[in-house]
Amino acid sequence: MNVLVLNCGSSSVRFQVIETDLERIAQDRDRCLARGYIERIGSLALVTLEATGRPKRIETYPLRDHRAALDQVLRWIVASDSGIDGIGALSDIQAVGHRVVHGGERFTRSVKIDAAVLDGIEDTIELAPLHNPANLKGILAARELLGPAVPQVAVFDTAFHATMPETAYLYALPYSLYRRHRLRRYGFHGTSHRYVSYRYRKLRKLTREKVNLITLHLGNGCSACAIKGGDSMNTSMGLTPLEGLVMGTRAGDIDAAIIPYLHQKEGLSVDEIDTLLNKESGLLGLSGLTNDMRELLDEEREKGDRRARLAVDIFCARARKYVGAYLAELGGADALAFAGGIGENSPAVRERITRGLEWMGLTLDPRRNAAMVGGKEGEISKAGSRLKAYVIPTNEELLIARDTVRTVLGAPAPARKARARAAK
Ligand code: ADP
């Protein structure tokens, strides 16, 4: 089955075409046939397209909205000169899998999209006003352009975390706020944490119930996840992706009293404070230079920049704090797994996060750590480490394609016991 995987942002669309079916899933033989990225939708859009094994094409088109962007993508996919294996017409795309950011308490697993699901996604717009509307636009555009007969599946960023216990997902706020607004921790990056957890169990030949792991997804957005018995027990992002680790431009954890303080001292409005915390903080805010970890590491190394060093140190210290907290919460774990652009490519950051954890049984192997970059997967701890460390490149698109196939064929992945309850 050829699955079109769509990840629609407010002004961007990322896509992949993945060939997969139940047999390929069992044998790990899924194939990415093509991928691409459209940015600056709404003006002169930049379109990057790549059929596997062919050179990348970068073009510009005026694209008004998500429908126009998807139309452009589909035209390219079926064009004879794109060279995509096995695809010559729209009918060669048999299903569409969508990344949907927020599933609220309602969606605890991937679902086939029908009118009720569309309503449900619309209901969660309040919780993800920046993301869910774009995801909905993508779904409607795909239905219009491919026709209602092509099945579409929604895969939610929040779903993997539905197994968190109340002690992890409730804030210590008046309980009535949870009742009235479902104000709670949802967590994000769930598809990534789930994929990393799945690859870890394959690497170590474990059953899902035997997976006791802390995953660190460190990209532009960053989050940690505590996994026990294969289930998410806690995660660092909260009601929104703002909470938790230091990120490229997000502050992560702060004293909430800083918000009224900023309002009084700097005269900032609620919206301005929201922008400050989400777009002007984190690595960018601390360094005053950039949100890009690679550039910060270069500045630190080449120029000895004090604030670049400080930003990286605070980033690593926060991640280490979460590792410690989650080890205590889980009653221990067998391994840490690093993923995301930083986690997959920076031996220096991995070393700084795990520095001083030898007493806990974790010792990195410097040679293995240095070699594990650029998409390589494997162990980076010394042989015999009681707490092991792995680098596991994430692949959310693959998991979305697989969930799409399983859902369409009525063979979904085994259900996890969602712990969210409908509070009275
Ligand atoms: P997104 O969350 O947008 O998908 P990525 O997962 O691609 O982002 O991660 C982007 C981050 O990864 C950037 O901060 C970038 O600097 C960092 N990164 C990529 N390669 C390296 C590297 N070799 N060393 C350090 N950081 C890197």
Side-chain angles (χ1 to χ4, degrees):
M1 194 182 277
N2 295 321
V3 181
L4 174 65
V5 176
L6 286 179
N7 178 356
C8 297
S10 55
S11 65
S12 68
V13 174
R14 253 177 223 283
F15 75 91
Q16 282 192 23
V17 182
I18 296 178
E19 183 186 11
T20 180
D21 51 41
L22 295 179
E23 206 179 306
R24 283 181 186 271
I25 293 173
Q27 298 167 355
D28 244 334
R29 282 198 307 113
D30 330 62
R31 278 205 310 156
C32 172
L33 305 177
R35 64 175 73 216
Y37 184 44
I38 303 190
E39 32 194 335
R40 298 202 308 246
I41 294 171
S43 59
L44 191 63
L46 192 64
V47 183
T48 308
L49 304 163
E50 190 180 358
T52 301
R54 295 258 183 145
K56 207 182 265 183
R57 274 167 47 178
I58 302 179
E59 290 156 10
T60 52
Y61 299 94
L63 296 175
R64 198 168 11 112
D65 52 18
H66 286 75
R67 188 192 171 286
L70 185 58
D71 190 37
Q72 187 64 43
V73 166
L74 291 173
R75 280 171 200 275
W76 174 74
I77 288 176
V78 299
S80 54
D81 64 345
S82 344
I84 303 177
D85 249 13
I87 298 205
L90 282 186
S91 55
D92 294 324
I93 296 171
Q94 283 98 17
V96 185
H98 294 268
R99 173 190 183 214
V100 179
V101 169
H102 218 306
E105 285 195 336
R106 173 154 169 197
F107 298 110
T108 57
R109 61 191 307 169
S110 303
V111 289
K112 196 163 162 200
I113 298 170
D114 58 17
V117 170
L118 278 177
D119 284 348
I121 296 173
E122 222 169 309
D123 288 344
T124 55
I125 284 183
E126 272 182 350
L127 293 168
L130 295 180
H131 295 103
N132 276 24
N135 302 150
L136 270 174
K137 281 183 196 160
I139 295 170
L140 296 175
R143 194 170 60 181
E144 197 186 322
L145 294 164
L146 290 166
V150 175
Q152 302 200 54
V153 171
V155 180
F156 300 91
D157 260 25
T158 47
F160 181 61
H161 303 302
T163 49
M164 285 190 290
E166 277 176 316
T167 47
Y169 74 69
L170 281 180
Y171 292 110
L173 292 167
Y175 194 82
S176 54
L177 291 174
Y178 170 59
R179 280 210 193 106
R180 284 216 295 278
H181 305 294
R182 289 292 179 266
L183 199 70
R184 49 163 284 183
R185 173 185 315 288
Y186 290 94
F188 298 87
H189 287 150
T191 312
S192 174
H193 291 297
R194 187 178 137 211
Y195 179 79
V196 172
S197 170
Y198 157 79
R199 283 302 311 164
Y200 168 78
R201 88 176 162 81
K202 287 278 164 191
L203 285 175
R204 297 206 58 190
K205 302 190 170 51
L206 302 169
T207 58
R208 200 179 87 192
E209 295 67 35
K210 289 271 156 53
V211 173
N212 300 314
L213 177 72
I214 294 169
T215 47
L216 291 165
H217 177 107
L218 309 176
N220 264 315
C222 301
S223 70
C225 182
I227 298 170
K228 186 170 190 160
D231 289 340
S232 169
M233 303 304 283
N234 206 345
T235 190
S236 56
M237 285 176 165
L239 173 76
T240 77
L242 179 57
E243 195 182 344
L245 303 182
V246 175
M247 314 185 205
T249 60
R250 295 192 192 115
D253 295 336
I254 58 160
D255 179 349
I258 289 172
I259 296 166
Y261 193 88
L262 280 175
H263 172 65
Q264 280 159 15
K265 293 284 178 189
E266 298 263 323
L268 298 178
S269 68
V270 172
D271 281 351
E272 286 167 334
I273 296 171
D274 192 54
T275 303
L276 181 138
L277 294 175
N278 274 293
K279 304 249 165 77
E280 296 160 13
S281 300
L283 294 174
L284 173 66
L286 280 167
S287 69
L289 292 171
T290 171
N291 63 330
D292 191 299
M293 178 60 89
R294 196 170 11 189
E295 289 177 20
L296 287 177
L297 292 167
D298 288 347
E299 287 291 326
E300 190 187 3
R301 195 178 43 244
E302 289 162 17
K303 302 197 192 118
D305 190 279
R306 189 188 87 82
R307 297 242 315 262
R309 166 164 303 126
L310 193 60
V312 180
D313 280 344
I314 294 172
F315 179 95
C316 295
R318 181 82 55 84
R320 192 183 314 119
K321 176 171 148 178
Y322 267 90
V323 169
Y326 285 169
L327 282 170
E329 199 169 320
L330 293 176
D334 300 318
L336 307 183
F338 290 92
I342 299 170
E344 292 165 25
N345 293 300
S346 180
V349 170
R350 296 190 299 246
E351 191 276 322
R352 279 159 82 163
I353 291 175
T354 53
R355 197 179 287 168
L357 298 187
E358 292 79 9
W359 65 274
M360 247 163 35
L362 173 60
T363 312
L364 287 197
D365 179 320
R367 210 173 35 85
R368 285 183 181 170
N369 185 35
M372 212 62 74
V373 292
K376 291 209 193 83
E377 180 185 77
E379 188 179 348
I380 54 170
S381 42
K382 270 209 169 114
S385 252
R386 192 153 42 85
L387 177 64
K388 299 185 186 310
Y390 284 79
V391 172
I392 300 185
T394 194
N395 194 341
E396 292 158 275
E397 289 79 7
L398 179 61
L399 204 55
I400 292 173
R402 287 181 168 191
D403 264 18
T404 300
V405 163
R406 292 190 192 109
T407 307
V408 167
L409 297 178
R416 296 177 155 86
K417 220 185 267 157
R419 269 178 250 246
R421 15 180 134 113
K424 293 189 206 88

